[in-house]
Amino acid sequence: MVLCLYIAPCPVGAKEHLGAESVHCSPLPPVLGSPWQGLDRDLGHVGPPLLSPCAVPSCMGSLVPKCLGGLQEVAETPPSWLMGAGLAEMLLLRPIMRGPWGLQRTPRLAAVAWRSHPQVCTPSRTYGTWRAGDGSQRWKVMAVGALLGLGAGLAYGDHRRQASEAEPNAVAMPRAPYPVFTRQEVGRHRSLAERVWVTYGSEVFDITDFVELHPGGKSKILLAAGGALEPFWAMYAVHGQEHVLEILRGYKVGELSPEEPSQPAQGDPYSGDPPRHPALKVNSLKPFNAEPPAELLTENYLTPNQLFFKRNHLPVPAVDPARYRLEVEGPGGRVLVFSLPELKRWFPKHEVTVTLQCAGNRRSEMSRVRQVKGLEWGVAAISTARWGGVRLRDVLAHAGYTEEDEEAGERHVCFEGLDKDLSGVAYGASIPYRAAMGRGAEVLLAYEMNGEELPQDHGYPLRVVVPGVVGARNVKWLGRVSVSREESPSHWQQNDYKGFSPAVDWDTVDFATAPAIQELPVQSAITAPAPGATVPPRELTVKGYAWSGGGRGVVRVDVSLDGGRTWHVAELMGEEQRPGRAWAWRLWRLTAPVPPDRTELDIVCKAVDTSYNVQPDTVEPIWNLRGVLSNAWHHVRVTVAED
């Protein structure tokens, strides 16, 4: 029997290669440090991280030739230390182009001491003289083999250390050269069945093993299969970070032929982005995402357009207003097409004040508990504007749809933007049909923002504004509207912007099991004073904002100057709003005496909405791997001292 020890799912191909009855898979925890650093280099092996982790215990020496397969390609005879090394190091097998099998160590997998898992050597069938019923003999062999293997590994590691210390100036043995491929050869590897190869610069990588792990989804990474990564990476600057390049290097299988012409220089897809206000705090440049300074956010009830937070997923499209057309699919598939002047002429203008909030607002606070994936937004990924446009309800009624009725069943209104990736896939989202067509629905197809023409960064010439709903559903640069029995198939609807339990991690997450975020929970934050500020010891003014999704108004904001032990009720400011249609935030302010003899203050705020929903007191119970829905009590710590 051969034991496969793994951290990821049981290795693909192990059972087929070695015989299903002879393979047992067992998850093991990683350990740090290894005496086998450079093992694959000493064997002369070159290649990417291998698919099938195969620990070869010394008590199974009779199986080593079968498990190692074509090891003779890199070493005519397996070294004696290798035969007993199974518990000191993970050995990996996988087919490699231009060679049947190779042997390599991977840092993602590690062995454990034999004594911690003695049961793993239990055979499922008999090989040679080692029988399943030979209990005492089996354990003796196992123990001896484990000790020999571990000892040999430690000795080998010590030998390498001594050699490096004794010969600091010795010339390193040259690494075996990588095989050379043409772009045509790389292009044959475009699917999981044929293995997925890509190029970056002059190097070739086999990324098959990484496809399922890609944070952006399997379909996105497969767009580059058989070709160059550069055109796709230009869309997302995060790929240029060193840790991403380090992951890629682990999958290297070869070099591009020097005779291959270099890839044409890629134009910057973000070169047409508009200029932005210098006061914005930039979270990513490409695509551009930024928030205003917190202290400026609540200076005005309506956020100035230039300071309104920016959330882009792709390059800002350049839209010619004279050629712009909106497509609206009616019942039966009939498509209506509107120019912007036609929309303005045929449908009455409607205005509504709406607060938009990114699902990741205050994500940085979750990262302090445990790292999450996403932009490190502070408290200002939220803004408010007076939007002007035509009601979506009026346009859909013109196309032939009626008010929601219960017999129609669940339907969704789907939106597609004109912002697209290099493959032509557009940003998309959807909302429930009732949110668009219910009586009094105020979803807008907006062309104005705070009395001005819609800015380019905010969806010019037309965008969707969905009151009370997460910002991700407010599609900008709107190109198409349709009604469907299913939600939008967009990646951002199906595989992002969903909440999960703190127990779910990237190994266990299943986006299909969670509903897409629509209405957001009650939220509040402190915008002044700033964290770390020095405040006078007499009287203190605290400012902030509060908002809740679904049209639920804010009825109260509680503020504490001592970490939540005692509370004050803040004064609410801003427009009074109709019950059930409180689409905009409430700004708040509290002026209170500073507690005597205090040198530091822990200022806290929490909001309560009309349904008496209140913010949770800590982040830990609401932590999730994407860092969305972060609405715990907001803390700001300041120092008390004379100026």
Side-chain angles (χ1 to χ4, degrees):
M1 169 219 162
V2 172
L3 170 69
C4 288
L5 309 178
Y6 64 95
I7 294 173
C10 191
V12 177
K15 299 196 177 202
E16 292 78 2
H17 177 64
L18 300 169
E21 294 180 52
S22 65
V23 175
H24 173 70
C25 293
S26 176
L28 295 175
V31 297
L32 298 177
S34 169
W36 300 102
Q37 296 296 329
L39 172 64
D40 43 339
R41 182 169 61 252
D42 292 349
L43 289 174
H45 174 70
V46 175
L50 305 173
L51 273 177
S52 304
C54 179
V56 188
S58 57
C59 59
M60 301 177 186
S62 62
L63 288 183
V64 170
K66 182 176 181 181
C67 187
L68 297 183
L71 179 62
Q72 62 271 17
E73 179 182 321
V74 294
E76 290 186 6
T77 304
S80 59
W81 45 261
L82 179 59
M83 301 294 288
L87 294 178
E89 181 65 3
M90 295 301 292
L91 303 177
L92 297 175
L93 289 171
R94 62 165 283 176
I96 293 181
M97 198 66 178
R98 302 191 176 184
W101 289 86
L103 175 69
Q104 185 174 338
R105 175 195 57 80
T106 177
R108 291 182 295 172
L109 302 166
V112 296
W114 187 265
R115 64 185 178 186
S116 65
H117 286 273
Q119 72 277 15
V120 297
C121 204
T122 303
S124 57
R125 67 185 183 193
T126 303
Y127 282 92
T129 59
W130 182 41
R131 295 185 299 276
D134 249 351
S136 61
Q137 180 67 19
R138 180 170 73 250
W139 292 114
K140 290 177 183 178
V141 173
M142 287 159 51
V144 172
L147 291 172
L148 287 174
L150 183 57
L154 294 172
Y156 178 75
D158 187 61
H159 167 73
R160 290 183 56 81
R161 180 185 58 77
Q162 292 181 29
S164 63
E165 292 174 354
E167 302 177 282
N169 298 319
V171 177
M173 291 293 291
R175 184 180 179 124
Y178 282 98
V180 175
F181 302 101
T182 64
R183 292 194 187 276
Q184 185 178 14
E185 288 175 306
V186 173
R188 297 184 187 127
H189 296 269
R190 293 181 174 272
S191 69
L192 293 174
E194 299 167 332
R195 304 202 61 80
V196 179
W197 287 18
V198 295
T199 66
Y200 185 69
S202 61
E203 298 175 300
V204 180
F205 305 90
D206 180 346
I207 60 169
T208 311
D209 302 356
F210 184 72
V211 168
E212 296 290 348
L213 305 175
H214 184 234
K218 175 179 173 180
S219 61
K220 293 293 184 184
I221 197 170
L222 287 176
L223 293 172
L229 287 173
E230 284 89 341
F232 299 92
W233 280 18
M235 300 289 289
Y236 299 98
V238 66
H239 290 105
Q241 297 181 15
E242 182 57 32
H243 76 276
V244 177
L245 298 175
E246 186 64 29
I247 293 172
L248 181 64
R249 293 185 193 111
Y251 295 92
K252 184 173 178 178
V253 292
E255 300 275 355
L256 275 175
S257 169
E259 298 177 2
E260 285 287 327
S262 59
Q263 284 285 94
Q266 298 295 324
D268 184 358
Y270 295 91
S271 60
D273 276 17
R276 280 92 180 198
H277 197 285
L280 292 173
K281 176 191 172 186
V282 178
N283 287 319
S284 76
L285 277 171
K286 299 179 181 182
F288 189 81
N289 292 281
E291 60 188 301
E295 59 268 28
L296 296 183
L297 183 63
T298 52
E299 288 297 304
N300 301 281
Y301 180 71
L302 297 180
T303 312
N305 290 357
Q306 288 186 311
L307 293 179
F308 202 102
F309 83 97
K310 311 289 191 286
R311 178 63 177 110
N312 296 330
H313 296 84
L314 297 161
V316 175
V319 182
D320 180 354
R323 301 179 62 183
Y324 171 77
R325 297 293 184 272
L326 171 67
E327 295 182 356
V328 178
E329 183 178 326
R334 182 173 63 100
V335 177
L336 304 181
V337 179
F338 301 94
S339 67
L340 187 58
E342 287 172 336
L343 286 171
K344 293 179 178 180
R345 184 168 63 249
W346 293 355
F347 302 102
K349 182 179 179 180
H350 186 73
E351 292 188 351
V352 60
T353 302
V354 175
T355 294
L356 298 183
Q357 180 182 219
C358 178
N361 190 33
R362 299 180 59 194
R363 177 182 282 130
S364 58
E365 295 168 53
M366 283 196 175
S367 288
R368 292 176 207 145
V369 172
R370 199 179 348 149
Q371 191 59 44
V372 299
K373 288 186 179 179
L375 298 170
E376 290 291 305
W377 293 107
V379 301
I382 182 171
S383 301
T384 300
R386 182 75 175 171
W387 306 92
V390 301
R391 292 195 300 178
L392 175 61
R393 185 177 185 274
D394 294 341
V395 176
L396 290 178
H398 180 80
Y401 293 103
T402 60
E403 286 185 19
E404 179 188 23
D405 65 88
E406 296 300 325
E407 297 179 1
E410 184 64 26
R411 288 185 289 181
H412 306 268
V413 180
C414 303
F415 309 112
E416 283 187 19
L418 297 176
D419 48 335
K420 300 179 180 181
D421 63 20
L422 291 182
S423 67
V425 176
Y427 182 85
S430 60
I431 60 174
Y433 183 82
R434 63 181 179 276
M437 289 297 291
R439 186 164 299 170
E442 294 188 279
V443 179
L444 286 187
L445 304 184
Y447 48 77
E448 285 184 2
M449 181 178 180
N450 290 330
E452 301 176 0
E453 184 179 76
L454 201 62
Q456 189 179 359
D457 249 334
H458 295 287
Y460 176 83
L462 194 72
R463 69 168 299 163
V464 182
V465 174
V466 189
V469 165
V470 64
R473 313 301 168 215
N474 292 253
V475 175
K476 298 185 284 186
W477 311 290
L478 185 64
R480 184 177 178 85
V481 179
S482 60
V483 175
S484 171
R485 294 286 181 185
E486 304 294 334
E487 286 186 310
S488 167
S490 165
H491 164 82
W492 293 278
Q493 186 81 22
Q494 300 294 331
N495 296 306
D496 204 350
Y497 297 118
K498 296 183 176 184
F500 294 94
S501 163
V504 175
D505 59 25
W506 287 103
D507 291 326
T508 59
V509 65
D510 181 358
F511 279 91
T513 63
I517 297 170
Q518 294 287 346
E519 297 178 1
L520 287 171
V522 62
Q523 175 73 283
S524 72
I526 298 162
T527 58
T534 299
V535 300
R538 290 167 294 279
E539 193 173 67
L540 174 66
T541 297
V542 185
K543 297 179 181 179
Y545 65 79
W547 179 79
S548 190
R552 293 178 292 275
V554 172
V555 297
R556 192 179 77 242
V557 174
D558 299 323
V559 180
S560 172
L561 303 183
D562 54 13
R565 288 187 290 274
T566 61
W567 295 92
H568 307 266
V569 177
E571 175 192 1
L572 297 179
M573 299 174 292
E575 297 177 0
E576 290 293 332
Q577 302 175 74
R578 291 177 294 166
R581 300 188 186 281
W583 308 127
W585 62 14
R586 298 297 298 269
L587 303 184
W588 55 264
R589 176 174 58 199
L590 171 74
T591 300
V594 174
D597 303 322
R598 298 296 295 271
T599 59
E600 293 183 346
L601 299 178
D602 180 8
I603 309 172
V604 184
C605 72
K606 61 181 176 72
V608 182
D609 69 17
T610 52
S611 296
Y612 284 97
N613 298 310
V614 65
Q615 294 170 255
D617 57 347
T618 60
V619 173
E620 286 84 351
I622 61 171
W623 183 96
N624 59 87
L625 76 175
R626 277 292 279 121
V628 294
L629 309 170
S630 181
N631 72 324
W633 293 1
H634 187 223
H635 291 253
V636 168
R637 291 171 174 83
V638 298
T639 300
V640 179
E642 293 287 355
D643 292 338

